[in-house]
């Protein structure tokens, strides 16, 4: 499966530190350019409009972040899911997740745009925005929100590109948009004297530009992440996976935004000079944080692909490397901003009263920004493992003195009801229906040397519990599990092959009859049936009545991915 050979990178092979740098630095630059949209707005209105206009733009930053951070988290969830599928080489699932993400982006953008229009003035008033600023702040926010669908399309689209290791083309699109944004800002504010309305319109147009470029790239992409307008739909299974990872990530971002809104409310009480000074210094705080965030997203994407490819040791190296690079790079950038603060802050304003507040903030808040690496990189590693909290005990990887990786995947099923011979027989058949020696999947796995001949599916039942398990040896166990899950989903969608069903049924029928040919075997089987409260004749009769429709009905609820457990044993290093 191609995964963007021209623009992407192979994250599962080779040296780690240089690839993380090549991925993270363009991503940090992209985030900084996005922030520069607001920074240019701030600088232009601060220099060529008024302090009130500067305060109006600055007072909106934390509120805008609060409104969009949940959906940015969801876009990160899409990145994790898609990158993991790419690592597993599951093209069908990649396509389903990509198209689901784009539809979610459109819906999210329209929702935030409409909802934001309704709450703009009440929330800014609640935040204590001064009377001399409130009207300009509301005007800026309402125009800015018109571009929200474009912001969402860019964020989700760039997340999709990053899943194949491509962080450069999103950067190029932002460079183009940034040039347009700067030119329009100067034109609309200086020439047409449009103040905050001018910079807001310029930002909407620049967001439209960046979104259009990214969507064009995705629609003309030659790799597996290509978008086809005819396939745009929400696939519930993929949406659930994206939301399970994305919502906690978004909520984390919202918690910081809520804190920033509270801080902004306190700053507002000091007047427009304090608001303007804080807005100027906040830009550099963001720039330093974006370095950390870039390495955190690199951690997410690299971990997702390597975890999907069955490389847990490499995942640990990714975590340690990203942590060190993030601490060093963010620390150095913060030091530059603090030491040369006079130069950087005067880009935005020359008002002495505003500069006083700006210098206080940049020294206090930016100096230790690098410490955010500790929780951001750690959270990125957890999300890359497709988790948003403590890891459940459903996957485990061990090392033992074996010659080849061994693995097992089991699906927990509802306990058998007493006397339910029919369901017990159907569950016993499932392993052979999915990957038995009579199936196309088994032939593919065996012909491509992905499994050994002993690979099989078995039914396990004890009092109060039962499961269907698949076990064997493989050099690429994660790939086998992914193919297995894809086949289960295909069978659930298209139905069990009637010919395979009859062959498996006849095979089981022959095994039951073969068990009574010898006296010893007949006695053993009769005793086992008696302990279950039935006779051998009952089992044979129940098997004879089974139909392919019965198997399809069971498959609608059985072998569910959410009930799956996985264990892998890797060869111990000599």
């Amino acid at each position: 499966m191609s995964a963007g050979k021209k623009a992407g990178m192979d994250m599962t092979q080779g040296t780690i530190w240089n690839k993380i740098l090549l991925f993270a630095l363009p991503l940090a630059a992209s985030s900084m350019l996005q922030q520069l949209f607001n920074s240019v707005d701030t600088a232009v209105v601060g220099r060529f409009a008024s302090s009130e206009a500067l305060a109006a733009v600055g007072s909106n930053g934390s509120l805008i972040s609060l409104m969009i951070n949940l959906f940015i988290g969801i876009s990160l969830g899409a990145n994790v899911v898609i990158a993991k599928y790419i690592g597993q080489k599951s093209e069908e699932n990649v396509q389903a997740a990509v198209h689901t993400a784009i539809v979610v982006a459109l819906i999210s953008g329209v929702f935030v745009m409409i909802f934001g229009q309704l709450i703009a003035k009440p929330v800014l008033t609640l935040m204590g925005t001064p009377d001399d600023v409130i009207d300009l702040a509301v005007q800026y926010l309402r125009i800015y929100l018109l571009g929200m669908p474009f912001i969402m399309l860019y964020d989700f689209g760039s997340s999709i590109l990053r899943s194949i290791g491509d962080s450069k083309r999103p950067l190029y699109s932002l460079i183009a948009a940034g040039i347009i944004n700067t030119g329009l800002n100067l034109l609309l504010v200086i020439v047409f004297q449009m103040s905050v309305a001018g910079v807001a319109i310029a930002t909407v147009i620049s967001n439209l530009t960046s979104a259009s470029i990214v969507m064009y790239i995705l629609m003309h992409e030659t790799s597996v992440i290509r978008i086809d307008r005819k396939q745009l739909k929400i696939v519930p299974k993929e949406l659930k996976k994206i939301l399970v990872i994305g919502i906690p990530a978004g909520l984390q971002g919202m918690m910081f935004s809520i804190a920033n809104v509270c801080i902004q409310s306190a700053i507002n009480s000091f007047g427009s000079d304090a608001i303007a000074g804080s807005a100027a210094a906040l830009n550099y705080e963001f720039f330093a944080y974006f370095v950390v965030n870039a390495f955190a997203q690199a951690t997410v994407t690299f971990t997702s692909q390597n975890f999907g490819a069955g490389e847990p040791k490499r995942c640990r190296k990714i975590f340690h490397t990203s942590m060190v690079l993030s601490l060093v790079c963010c620390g150095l950038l913060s030091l530059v901003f603090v030491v040369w603060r006079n130069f950087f802050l005067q880009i935005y304003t020359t008002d002495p009263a505003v500069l006083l507040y700006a210098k206080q903030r940049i020294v206090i808040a930016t100096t230790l920004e690098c410490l955010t690496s500790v929780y951001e990189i750690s959270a990125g590693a957890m999300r890359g493992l497709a988790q948003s909290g403590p890891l459940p005990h459903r996957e485990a990887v061990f090392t033992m003195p074996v010659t080849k990786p061994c693995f097992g995947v089991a699906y927990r099923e509802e306990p058998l009801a007493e006397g339910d011979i029919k369901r017990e027989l159907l569950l016993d058949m499932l392993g052979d229906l999915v990957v038995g020696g009579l199936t196309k999947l088994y032939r593919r796995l065996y012909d491509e040397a992905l499994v050994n001949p002993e690979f099989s599916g078995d039914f396990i039942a004890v009092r109060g519990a039962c499961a269907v398990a698949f076990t064997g040896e493989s050099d690429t166990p994660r790939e086998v599990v992914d193919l297995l899950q894809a086949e289960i989903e295909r069978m659930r969608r298209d139905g069990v092959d009637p010919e395979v069903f009859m062959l498996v049924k006849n095979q089981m029928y022959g095994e039951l009859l073969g068990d009574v040919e010898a006296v010893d075997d007949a006695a053993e089987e009769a005793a086992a049936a008696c302990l279950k409260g039935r006779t051998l004749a009952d089992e044979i009769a129940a098997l004879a009545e089974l139909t392919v429709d019965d198997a399809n009905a069971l498959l609608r609820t059985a072998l569910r991915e959410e009930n799956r457990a996985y264990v892998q044993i890797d060869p111990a290093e000599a």
Side-chain angles (χ1 to χ4, degrees), residues 8-76:
M9 67 172 67
D10 186 353
M11 302 181 186
T12 60
Q13 303 288 333
T15 308
I16 292 174
W17 70 267
N18 58 339
K19 291 187 176 182
I20 289 178
L21 273 178
L22 288 172
F23 181 93
L25 293 182
L27 180 55
S30 295
S31 298
M32 289 178 183
L33 276 175
Q34 240 178 339
Q35 179 60 27
L36 278 173
F37 287 172
N38 286 333
S39 298
V40 170
D41 294 351
T42 306
V44 171
V45 295
R47 284 280 192 161
F48 302 106
S50 64
S51 295
E52 288 77 17
L54 173 60
V57 174
S59 64
N60 275 293
S62 58
L63 180 56
I64 290 170
S65 296
L66 176 60
M67 285 192 279
I68 68 174
N69 266 342
L70 174 62
F71 301 100
I72 291 176
I74 295 172
S75 75
L76 179 61

Side-chain angles (χ1 to χ4, degrees), residues 207-523:
N207 286 327
L208 169 61
T209 302
S210 60
S212 299
I213 294 173
V214 166
M215 291 305 297
Y216 178 86
I217 290 170
L218 288 171
M219 293 175 70
H220 292 80
E221 177 65 36
T222 57
S223 73
V224 70
I225 60 170
R226 179 188 177 99
I227 289 176
D228 182 350
R229 283 177 294 179
K230 296 179 182 179
Q231 295 185 39
L232 285 173
K233 63 179 180 180
I234 290 179
V235 179
K237 182 187 74 169
E238 303 307 333
L239 176 62
K240 180 180 177 181
K241 291 180 179 179
I242 290 171
L243 295 180
V244 164
I245 300 165
I247 288 179
L251 289 175
Q252 176 186 321
M254 288 182 69
M255 292 303 102
F256 287 108
S257 295
I258 290 171
N260 287 333
V261 167
C262 295
I263 293 170
Q264 186 65 53
S265 299
I267 293 171
N268 290 348
S269 66
F270 291 98
S272 58
D273 286 341
I275 298 173
S278 176
L282 185 61
N283 288 300
Y284 298 106
E285 193 177 324
F286 279 142
F287 291 152
Y289 171 75
F290 288 147
V291 174
V292 176
N293 185 254
F295 284 106
Q297 292 200 42
T299 306
V300 170
T301 307
F302 276 71
T303 303
S304 297
Q305 279 212 20
N306 283 275
F307 187 67
E311 295 286 349
K313 292 181 181 178
R314 193 172 171 86
C315 292
R316 287 192 288 271
K317 292 179 181 178
I318 289 165
F319 170 73
H320 294 137
T321 303
S322 296
M323 182 69 76
V324 171
L325 290 173
S326 178
L327 286 167
V328 171
C329 292
C330 179
L332 290 174
L333 185 60
S334 297
L335 182 64
V336 169
F337 289 150
V338 172
V339 171
W340 286 281
R341 56 187 176 275
N342 289 329
F343 167 77
F344 287 111
L345 291 172
Q346 286 178 14
I347 294 173
Y348 295 97
T349 182
T350 55
D351 187 325
V354 174
L355 283 171
L356 177 64
Y357 287 107
K359 290 176 184 178
Q360 290 176 355
R361 172 150 193 163
I362 202 169
V363 170
I364 295 170
T366 308
T367 302
L368 298 178
E369 188 68 32
C370 62
L371 294 182
T372 58
S373 302
V374 175
Y375 63 81
E376 289 289 356
I377 303 299
S378 300
M382 295 291 286
R383 293 187 188 113
L385 296 171
Q387 308 296 338
S388 295
L391 287 170
H393 299 292
R394 289 177 55 193
E395 291 206 6
V397 179
F398 305 97
T399 56
M400 294 181 66
V402 294
T403 57
K404 198 172 189 179
C406 307
F407 73 99
V409 57
Y411 297 83
R412 186 186 71 250
E413 307 297 344
E414 289 296 321
L416 292 170
E418 188 173 348
D420 191 353
I421 307 175
K422 178 179 177 181
R423 183 166 178 270
E424 180 180 344
L425 290 171
L426 285 169
L427 285 169
D428 199 12
M429 294 176 72
L430 277 184
D432 286 329
L433 291 175
V434 175
V435 74
L438 301 170
T439 63
K440 292 180 180 178
L441 177 59
Y442 179 83
R443 289 197 292 273
R444 175 185 174 184
L445 294 174
Y446 186 67
D447 290 345
E448 295 180 12
L450 295 175
V451 296
N452 63 339
E454 286 73 34
F455 177 70
S456 63
D458 299 291
F459 174 59
I460 305 166
V462 295
R463 185 178 296 276
C466 64
V468 178
F470 302 86
T471 58
E473 295 180 350
S474 174
D475 289 324
T476 55
R478 295 278 181 177
E479 181 179 356
V480 175
V481 172
D482 184 62
L483 291 170
L484 181 68
Q485 189 65 46
E487 176 64 8
I488 291 169
E489 298 301 330
R490 186 202 65 77
M491 291 173 63
R492 207 187 318 275
R493 182 181 66 249
D494 300 338
V496 175
D497 186 330
E499 182 180 353
V500 173
F501 175 82
M502 288 305 301
L503 290 171
V504 172
K505 178 179 175 180
N506 290 338
Q507 180 178 291
M508 289 183 66
Y509 191 72
E511 290 173 356
L512 283 174
L513 293 178
D515 288 338
V516 298
E517 289 182 353
V519 175
D520 291 345
D521 291 339

Side-chain angles (χ1 to χ4, degrees), residues 113 117 136-148 194 196-204:
M113 178 182 69
Q117 300 291 337
L136 289 173
V138 171
Q139 182 185 29
Y140 176 82
L141 180 58
R142 284 181 169 161
I143 297 173
Y144 183 96
L145 288 170
L146 295 177
M148 199 56 67
M194 294 180 67
V196 297
V199 295
I201 292 170
T203 302
V204 171

